[in-house]
Amino acid sequence: MSGDRPSGVEAQFRSVWSERLSQYGNRAGRFVFGDGVGVTLWLAVVLVLALSWRVGFFITDTYPIANAVANLGDGRLAMTPTDFQYSLTLGTQPGLHEYGGRFYARNYGQVVAALPFLWLLEGASAVAPPRLVLAGGWALGVVGLGRRLAAHFDRRWLRLVAVVVASAWFAVAVVFATALDRSQLPLVALQLSTLAAAGLVAVSCYRLVGTFHDRRVAVAAGVALALATPVGFWATIPKRHVLVTALVFGSVFAFARSRQLDGRASYVAHGLAYGALGLVAWVHAFEGFFLTAALFAVDFLTEPRKSRRRLAVVGGIFALSVLPMAVTNVLINGNPLRPPRLLPGVGPESVELAPTGGPESSGGDTGSGTAGGDVGADPTGDGVDADSTGGDGTQRTLLDELLGLLSPLFVLVTLAETVLTQLAFIGTYAVSAVSDGVAAAGEHERLWEIFVRRGHSASLSGVNDYEPIDLSVVESTPIVGTLLALPAVAVVRLRRHGAAVSRLGPRRQTDLLVASYVVVLTLVYLPRLPLFSQLTVRYLLPVIALASYCPFRLPAVREAITGAPRTTAGVYAGTVLAGSALVAVVLGVLDPALGEAIQFHALLGLCIAAVAAVLVVGRTLAPARVSPRSVAVGMALAGGATTVYLSLASVEYFAYGPFAFDAVELIARLVPIL
């Protein structure tokens, strides 16, 4: 009996810890995904977008980021040319910076986000080949998705279908498996991180819309953000844009919840709205700065509850969120406010949102200039030896003690001077960037090429092998065209309720924040657009995603989704399946060049966007003449057109590397368009 007691205590101890871990896991899941629908949506989006995953470098900006992931995974922040795993030359790595004879990447928030995926892949690849690890992970995801769908819809056969699909998928992977070198794992981890972030964009949009409207509308919005916008295009191309978009949506959702909740929960949500932007600054310091300024302006105008406790919580969370950026900057160059983007670049010229150089630090070089001098040098700087003062040792001792007491003050003054100089430099640059954006907003041709019709650009006709592969905002995202109904909705709103900002409810305050984010990001990037290889106006991806959320705030669109859900889902599915096949057949017969094929999608997107916009505007102004079912058809066509482009772009148009899954490679060979 005495031997059973310890085992019973041990079992009870394990049970308590297991229960606690389960509780913590459930809380973390609710914090990230909200509910079971959010988990299901994230899993479905990740699995679908993973089908277009190619392991390779689509844009050369990825080289330094992937090298940074590989080196940081090995415990090295600084890099030398011998540490460049993916590119051995400096000139082929845009975004590489030099300080003190060492090289650094940028977007370290994105680099750190990829590390857990790298460690997971390295551990799993020790058991099985990397290609089978990826195929097995996708198969397990399908099984998990099938279980969730079967439980949600009470259809047991969905679980069986998921098991069959997963088994067939993994069997094909085993039979046709090709080699994937372990040296590619840092790049794969980087792509996995952006793929997961794309799923979080959909989840955040679902939760944001669900905060104000019906769950059915919220699910439609989440699916649309992932599959009917360029978010799906960039999901497996490891640029920073998808990660920033996920954090921006997290900020908007936290802001909306802070306006609905009370007490401590409201304080925490309010702080998280700023905290998400602090993490944006770790990825891109200047985007984080402009977004934080926009949030502060809206917050100041609309928040009536400015208590000391609220300010303390918000300030504390924001300070914690910017701490990783500050620590990274200190480890690189010793200045917490000097991101890698302000260090000298060693690659090709960049069009990034950053000034050409940082302010000169007058205090940083003086110390190094005196190092190695005479040990007995006079601290007063007058060059007189102590013995020549007539032996007044008492005066010398008192002066030394006084200087010793004041030395911490001198350090603080120097630090404050450095910080103030950096802040003044950033403020001057911010004013200049916004002023340039306002000036660029008056250039109608520039606005037309960015937002409406790109086509051939005389200024950029020699790039991309003379292929017009870039799309405008509306060409790449036709559902944005439905925002033409916004003026009519705004007029009705103003007539009924006026324009007092202080009386805005949580919904309108959130709308104001979304509009502020859209305006500030558009203004600061306008002078840099259009540019070569922007593809789907990638620098405006957060803007496009926020703009794509806005149609689901329109009454006409919500009525269409809730009133005709089967029509919406059926037309969208039919457009994706039949539309992809039809476009593939037509283009296969025409045998176009790459630019011609993409411009075919551009014109198709513009036409569908016009139809959807007319239907939504008609429903808004004349609801008796335009039915919700008609609006549902228009919205489904607009979303389906983008999904068709995303699927064909990944399968056929941009073959920059092998597919992550061999089964997709086999299917892609059957679609000879180009």
Side-chain angles (χ1 to χ4, degrees):
M1 295 296 293
S2 60
D4 294 336
R5 185 174 180 179
S7 62
V9 172
E10 182 179 356
Q12 184 178 5
F13 178 78
R14 290 180 179 178
S15 176
V16 170
W17 273 103
S18 176
E19 183 178 353
R20 288 184 178 180
L21 290 176
S22 178
Q23 291 177 353
Y24 292 148
N26 291 335
R27 290 180 181 178
R30 287 195 300 269
F31 177 79
V32 176
F33 303 106
D35 54 21
V37 176
V39 177
T40 304
L41 177 62
W42 181 85
L43 188 58
V45 166
V46 169
L47 291 174
V48 171
L49 294 180
L51 296 176
S52 63
W53 181 4
R54 290 178 179 268
V55 179
F57 292 91
F58 185 55
I59 295 181
T60 55
D61 296 26
T62 308
Y63 280 115
I65 306 298
N67 281 325
V69 173
N71 282 272
L72 197 59
D74 292 335
R76 297 186 301 272
L77 181 63
M79 295 181 289
T80 62
T82 57
D83 299 324
F84 295 152
Q85 179 169 318
Y86 295 108
S87 178
L88 301 180
T89 61
L90 300 179
T92 59
Q93 300 187 67
L96 190 67
H97 300 272
E98 186 269 339
Y99 185 82
R102 301 283 182 166
F103 300 98
Y104 301 91
R106 54 194 182 196
N107 305 356
Y108 274 98
Q110 180 184 4
V111 172
V112 173
L115 289 182
F117 295 95
L118 175 60
W119 296 330
L120 181 63
L121 287 171
E122 288 178 341
S125 298
V127 179
R131 187 77 72 174
L132 293 184
V133 169
L134 296 180
W138 196 90
L140 289 176
V142 169
V143 173
L145 179 62
R147 292 182 59 184
R148 287 191 166 275
L149 292 176
H152 181 75
F153 293 106
D154 194 20
R155 298 289 189 272
R156 293 185 178 180
W157 59 269
L158 289 174
R159 184 180 303 178
L160 177 61
V161 170
V163 171
V164 171
V165 171
S167 301
W169 180 271
F170 192 72
V172 171
V174 172
V175 174
F176 297 97
T178 57
L180 179 63
D181 196 85
R182 288 176 59 89
S183 63
Q184 295 288 84
L185 292 184
L187 173 61
V188 172
L190 193 59
Q191 293 178 300
L192 272 175
S193 67
T194 54
L195 181 62
L200 290 179
V201 172
V203 172
S204 296
C205 184
Y206 155 75
R207 299 181 69 185
L208 178 60
V209 176
T211 301
F212 302 131
H213 304 297
D214 181 75
R215 174 176 286 184
R216 187 173 292 171
V217 179
V219 172
V223 172
L225 258 290
L227 304 182
T229 72
V231 169
F233 184 91
W234 296 100
T236 55
I237 300 176
K239 295 289 290 176
R240 71 172 188 275
H241 310 298
V242 174
L243 181 58
V244 170
T245 302
L247 292 171
V248 168
F249 263 93
S251 174
V252 175
F253 171 70
F255 177 87
R257 292 296 291 161
S258 73
R259 293 320 198 241
Q260 292 181 321
L261 300 173
D262 294 316
R264 185 174 60 181
S266 176
Y267 301 164
V268 173
H270 197 173
L272 291 175
Y274 283 90
L277 301 185
L279 295 178
V280 170
W282 197 18
V283 179
H284 192 299
F286 293 96
E287 283 187 351
F289 172 82
F290 285 109
L291 289 169
T292 302
L295 174 58
F296 178 80
V298 174
D299 202 13
F300 181 80
L301 291 174
T302 61
E303 176 53 66
R305 304 168 294 179
K306 299 179 178 68
S307 64
R308 292 182 179 179
R309 182 175 298 180
R310 176 181 290 272
L311 293 177
V313 173
V314 172
I317 294 177
F318 182 65
L320 289 175
S321 70
V322 299
L323 185 61
M325 178 196 70
V327 171
T328 303
N329 295 343
V330 168
L331 292 176
I332 292 176
N333 61 76
N335 189 335
L337 295 180
R338 191 182 188 189
R341 277 181 168 77
L342 293 183
L343 300 177
V346 296
E349 292 186 5
S350 176
V351 293
E352 287 290 329
L353 177 64
T356 55
E360 295 295 330
S361 177
S362 59
D365 298 333
T366 56
S368 60
T370 59
D374 295 337
V375 177
D378 181 12
T380 62
D382 52 13
V384 181
D385 189 75
D387 293 337
S388 65
T389 62
D392 190 2
T394 304
Q395 181 180 359
R396 175 66 57 191
T397 303
L398 292 175
L399 184 59
D400 289 343
E401 291 181 357
L402 180 61
L403 290 175
L405 292 174
L406 293 178
S407 59
L409 180 61
F410 294 154
V411 173
L412 292 177
V413 170
T414 302
L415 179 61
E417 181 184 2
T418 302
V419 171
L420 290 176
T421 301
Q422 195 78 23
L423 289 176
F425 170 75
I426 294 174
T428 302
Y429 168 71
V431 173
S432 175
V434 174
S435 300
D436 293 343
V438 172
E443 302 176 18
H444 303 295
E445 184 177 355
R446 181 194 299 266
L447 297 179
W448 178 263
E449 288 191 10
I450 295 172
F451 293 100
V452 183
R453 178 74 176 115
R454 178 64 191 274
H456 292 272
S457 177
S459 60
L460 299 173
S461 59
V463 300
N464 299 322
D465 296 328
Y466 293 90
E467 294 277 13
I469 62 174
D470 297 324
L471 301 177
S472 70
V473 171
V474 178
E475 288 171 345
S476 60
T477 320
I479 62 174
V480 173
T482 60
L483 296 183
L484 288 176
L486 276 180
V489 175
V491 169
V492 173
R493 173 71 184 179
L494 291 175
R495 286 179 177 178
R496 292 179 180 177
H497 304 285
V501 176
S502 60
R503 295 201 306 266
L504 296 179
R507 296 183 186 181
R508 307 304 177 188
Q509 291 180 16
T510 305
D511 293 341
L512 182 60
L513 179 64
V514 170
S516 300
Y517 283 172
V518 167
V519 170
V520 71
L521 287 179
T522 302
L523 282 180
V524 297
Y525 274 116
L526 268 185
R528 295 164 175 79
L529 299 174
L531 50 84
F532 60 92
S533 296
Q534 71 178 23
L535 299 171
T536 59
V537 202
R538 55 191 170 98
Y539 288 104
L540 295 184
L541 183 62
V543 173
I544 296 174
L546 290 171
S548 301
Y549 149 79
C550 293
F552 297 93
R553 291 282 291 115
L554 299 177
V557 174
R558 298 200 306 271
E559 292 172 0
I561 295 174
T562 56
R566 294 186 178 180
T567 300
T568 305
V571 173
Y572 173 77
T575 302
V576 173
L577 297 177
S580 297
L582 182 60
V583 171
V585 170
V586 170
L587 294 181
V589 172
L590 296 178
D591 191 23
L594 175 61
E596 294 172 334
I598 292 180
Q599 289 306 305
F600 175 84
H601 286 278
L603 295 175
L604 183 64
L606 282 179
C607 294
I608 294 178
V611 172
V614 169
L615 291 173
V616 174
V617 172
R619 177 65 184 174
T620 302
L621 298 178
R625 297 184 178 182
V626 180
S627 66
R629 190 178 299 274
S630 300
V631 176
V633 171
M635 289 294 296
L637 287 173
T642 301
T643 307
V644 169
Y645 173 71
L646 297 182
S647 60
L648 292 179
S650 61
V651 171
E652 191 67 20
Y653 301 152
F654 301 110
Y656 56 90
F659 282 100
F661 306 111
D662 295 299
V664 181
E665 185 78 44
L666 297 175
I667 298 174
R669 295 174 184 174
L670 304 177
V671 191
I673 295 178
L674 303 179

